[in-house]
Amino acid sequence: MPLLLPLPGYTQSSSPEIRVQMSPASWQFDAGAVEFTTVEGKAAMKILNSRSQSILKNVTFTDGTIEYDMQPVDPRFTSVYFREQSDSMRECFYFRTSRAGNNDAEDAVQYAPFIRGVELWDILPEYQSNAAYQRNKWNHIKLVISGKQMRVYVNSSAPTLVVPQLEGTTSAGAIGFDGQVLISGLVIKPGATEGLSPMPGEDITGNDPRYLRKWEVSKQFAYTEPGIDFDYRYMPDSASLWDPITAERRGLVNLTRKFGGDFKRKITWLRTTINAASPLTKRLQLGFSDEVWVFVNRQLLYLDKNNYNQLTMKAPAGRISLDNASFDLPLKAGENEILIAVVNDFYGWGIIARLEDNYGISLLR
């Protein structure tokens, strides 16, 4: 559902809490996708269609608390969106409702932003957790959002999920829900951040100098023909144009932020340089999505695939992780060009690269 902006807003720091009425006048939704009812004495909004979103009218949310009760009905997912500018640009916290009743499921809940039309669930696997909730029963949810940080509480006084840095590109926007779900008791408290800092939390991988963080990326990507894994005509040459790109948190080179995605198979290139004091070999751990071809000094060294829901899927569940792959890099004395072709055809794309150690070498800083 397209979202029409700008929305009428309010001043975050001075507004009282907003108790949202569960009535058609408060919401924007597709005809026939939502009904308003009373369940166990609670006025509720019932979203009937898994794909339809119901958006709160006349509220632009920046920072504060979003608190509500919900009964998930959907067998797959139900989500709450905030700072939503459009379907393509928004923050999202969601429940994998098939995990309801399993208090130990590692992926029962997850945070994933939408950037340039792509939901980044597959390249941000660290933003998930277990949670104690039930289907067809009321569950109490609270999101505390402050600048770049978020804490989520699910039926608990202790945080269920801590997000040290919200990864989306929006700072203000609408609040909405989707999935087959009952929503009741929605209260929005603008500016009520419970002392949570608006600054990003620390990235512990910042202490680790083994990550390859400084790269160049080809300015363009090329669409590849179906069924073609790789062709040398895609190799960059002396006429190729490059942009600098720096790894984000946990060493992620996020190509989705650079190029977006359109669910068509495409290829781009990353390159960096490793200087070696003498000929040697270094073990490299590589996380990637979806496919890679690795060249050292223009010689093909390694190729692999990490395709979700296919036999080539790597743990964890086709998502980017340093557990995806590891192999040896043969380095000559002096400069060594590391060139990686990265292919995308499903959700987010990018790499994470970390060496076993930095002895006898120097990296771009």
Side-chain angles (χ1 to χ4, degrees):
M1 177 190 299
L3 180 64
L4 301 178
L5 292 176
L7 294 173
Y10 51 82
T11 303
Q12 287 272 323
S13 60
S14 60
S15 296
E17 68 179 30
I18 302 167
R19 294 188 174 271
V20 177
Q21 297 297 310
M22 294 300 152
S23 65
S26 300
W27 299 89
Q28 174 185 334
F29 51 87
D30 292 332
V34 175
E35 66 180 34
F36 296 88
T37 184
T38 300
V39 178
E40 299 172 13
K42 298 166 71 77
M45 174 177 65
K46 185 176 184 179
I47 302 177
L48 306 173
N49 186 331
S50 298
R51 296 292 184 181
S52 291
Q53 187 183 175
S54 187
I55 301 171
L56 183 61
K57 293 180 180 178
N58 301 331
V59 170
T60 301
F61 180 83
T62 301
D63 294 327
T65 299
I66 302 170
E67 199 162 359
Y68 64 99
D69 296 323
M70 68 103 176
Q71 283 195 30
V73 179
D74 201 293
R76 300 186 67 223
F77 303 100
T78 183
S79 306
V80 55
Y81 302 97
F82 58 96
R83 296 177 177 170
E84 178 169 345
Q85 297 286 326
S86 69
D87 290 351
S88 299
M89 297 172 56
R90 55 188 176 178
E91 303 278 18
C92 175
F93 171 75
Y94 63 90
F95 295 81
R96 285 188 175 88
T97 52
S98 62
R99 313 298 196 257
N102 182 353
N103 296 355
D104 297 313
E106 65 192 49
D107 58 354
V109 296
Q110 186 177 357
Y111 157 73
F114 285 68
I115 296 176
R116 302 185 68 165
V118 182
E119 183 183 9
L120 300 190
W121 74 274
D122 60 331
I123 65 173
L124 299 172
E126 70 273 24
Y127 295 144
Q128 66 180 28
S129 185
N130 64 316
Y133 64 95
Q134 301 288 330
R135 272 220 302 266
N136 300 310
K137 292 185 178 180
W138 288 115
N139 301 274
H140 189 69
I141 317 303
K142 183 171 77 169
L143 286 69
V144 179
I145 298 148
S146 179
K148 298 301 291 184
Q149 294 202 52
M150 177 173 72
R151 291 178 184 161
V152 181
Y153 303 78
V154 177
N155 294 325
S156 175
S157 59
T160 301
L161 180 68
V162 174
V163 179
Q165 178 163 317
L166 293 167
E167 303 277 359
T169 57
T170 62
S171 59
I175 293 170
F177 298 88
D178 72 6
Q180 298 174 49
V181 66
L182 288 159
I183 302 293
S184 182
L186 175 61
V187 178
I188 301 165
K189 302 175 182 178
T193 57
E194 300 186 355
L196 180 62
S197 172
M199 302 302 295
E202 292 300 324
D203 173 14
I204 196 64
T205 69
N207 295 331
D208 192 336
R210 296 174 297 165
Y211 284 87
L212 278 62
R213 300 182 188 274
K214 296 292 187 181
W215 295 81
E216 292 179 299
V217 60
S218 57
K219 280 182 175 289
Q220 296 83 23
F221 57 81
Y223 290 107
T224 69
E225 294 87 344
I228 294 181
D229 280 348
F230 178 74
D231 191 306
Y232 275 88
R233 62 197 163 111
Y234 295 125
M235 287 283 289
D237 57 26
S238 59
S240 298
L241 300 176
W242 301 85
D243 282 331
I245 189 169
T246 300
E248 301 179 2
R249 294 177 69 89
R250 71 187 185 92
L252 172 65
V253 181
N254 189 344
L255 295 174
T256 311
R257 200 180 298 278
K258 174 73 174 178
F259 295 118
D262 53 12
F263 297 93
K264 296 179 181 179
R265 185 176 173 82
K266 53 191 172 294
I267 183 171
T268 194
W269 291 87
L270 292 167
R271 71 177 182 184
T272 191
T273 300
I274 298 177
N275 283 281
S278 61
L280 47 78
T281 299
K282 291 294 182 183
R283 195 75 176 171
L284 179 73
Q285 290 178 282
L286 185 67
F288 60 94
S289 181
D290 298 306
E291 302 173 20
V292 289
W293 292 264
V294 181
F295 294 79
V296 178
N297 298 319
R298 296 285 166 151
Q299 297 296 308
L300 178 61
L301 174 69
Y302 181 85
L303 57 87
D304 209 345
K305 300 185 178 186
N306 185 17
N307 303 120
Y308 177 73
N309 211 27
Q310 298 183 30
L311 292 177
T312 53
M313 180 171 71
K314 310 290 187 187
R319 302 157 84 184
I320 287 183
S321 168
L322 287 176
D323 294 330
N324 293 158
S326 66
F327 50 91
D328 288 333
L329 287 180
L331 303 175
K332 66 181 182 180
E335 287 191 356
N336 295 267
E337 180 192 58
I338 311 301
L339 191 63
I340 302 180
V342 186
V343 171
N344 171 247
D345 56 11
F346 184 81
Y347 284 88
W349 56 322
I351 69 163
I352 303 173
R354 187 180 72 181
L355 294 165
E356 62 177 340
D357 64 63
N358 289 356
Y359 300 120
I361 62 172
S362 60
L363 308 178
L364 293 179
R365 299 295 182 190

